[in-house]
Amino acid sequence: MLMEQVIPAAGGAGLHLKRGEQLRIIDPNGGQSGDLVVFSQDGRQRLSNGRTFDYGGKIYLSTGDVLWSDRSEPMLTIVADDVGRHDFLYSPCSLEMYRIQYGVTGYHANCHDNLSAELRKLSVPPDPLPTAFNFFMNVHVKEDGNLVFARPRSLPGDAFVVRAEMDLAVAVSACPASTCNGGAPPRPLAFEILRE
Ligand SMILES: [Zn+2]
């Protein structure tokens, strides 16, 4: 293992991954979702849920599936997954979202700001921020097209592992939206960087 780090509750973290290195994201308490955004190290390519749906043919991704860039290159491969349900439809929660949807006035911690701040620290301009891979976030698409949130399926200690397919700048956020976390207050996550 190269390093291990906590993602603070409602906070973010940033890291570099070299091609072939693996990122293991852990839910120490269970039931907590988070956001993952990756850019190529040169900032020219960003994660694309649309391209990932194109080449994978599905919206629920797990072990063996590839996360693609907006320039149609593989960025990450999911190589292990204790949980098996993640969302790749929703944008990161943002200050505007909390205001429009929940009537929040004043500042509210949000994944958009966490991810943007971490990417800037890695010298990658975050605008526009792509749709995040919302790991452990449990969203059902009903037959009529409506979207329903359920509690994340992650149990304490559950993890998923992605392998970098190119050199990457990576930002992660422990999502503070209680609707995505079974109504619970924000809790921390953790990650490790592993070599194959
Ligand atoms: Zn969020």
Side-chain angles (χ1 to χ4, degrees):
M1 190 196 310
L2 297 179
M3 64 174 294
E4 184 176 6
Q5 191 177 318
V6 170
I7 309 168
L15 60 136
H16 294 287
L17 279 184
K18 292 274 184 207
R19 184 178 178 183
E21 289 179 350
Q22 298 187 359
L23 174 65
R24 181 168 182 264
I25 297 182
I26 307 121
D27 183 356
N29 302 294
Q32 172 66 45
S33 65
D35 291 36
L36 167 72
V37 164
V38 295
F39 283 62
S40 58
Q41 188 54 60
D42 63 11
R44 293 184 67 246
Q45 300 190 57
R46 62 195 74 210
L47 190 63
S48 170
N49 63 336
R51 290 289 168 246
T52 299
F53 300 157
D54 280 343
Y55 306 130
K58 54 182 164 180
I59 61 168
Y60 296 129
L61 304 160
S62 188
T63 307
D65 292 326
V66 174
L67 308 185
W68 291 78
S69 80
D70 56 354
R71 292 176 186 263
S72 293
E73 290 188 31
M75 301 190 99
L76 294 167
T77 300
I78 302 173
V79 295
D81 183 4
D82 293 329
V83 177
R85 178 55 66 90
H86 315 279
D87 172 73
F88 207 7
L89 297 169
Y90 275 95
S91 296
C93 64
S94 69
L95 193 54
E96 295 81 1
M97 188 213 80
Y98 286 104
R99 191 176 65 225
I100 293 166
Q101 219 166 356
Y102 302 107
V104 171
T105 55
Y107 191 75
H108 190 293
N110 65 87
C111 291
H112 186 281
D113 286 355
N114 290 343
L115 297 167
S116 297
E118 296 300 332
L119 287 163
R120 283 191 202 99
K121 286 185 211 165
L122 301 173
S123 302
V124 173
D127 297 315
L129 200 65
T131 298
F133 183 71
N134 302 305
F135 52 90
F136 308 146
M137 185 172 159
N138 187 359
V139 176
H140 299 282
V141 183
K142 293 170 68 177
E143 269 193 39
D144 62 5
N146 279 299
L147 297 166
V148 180
F149 291 100
R151 184 186 184 280
R153 293 179 180 174
S154 47
L155 301 172
D158 275 356
F160 85 107
V161 184
V162 286
R163 181 183 65 228
E165 303 299 349
M166 61 172 71
D167 292 352
L168 294 170
V170 180
V172 288
S173 175
C175 184
S178 62
T179 46
C180 303
N181 299 307
R187 289 151 297 170
L189 295 165
F191 68 86
E192 302 167 348
I193 298 174
L194 314 156
R195 278 198 213 281
E196 268 184 297

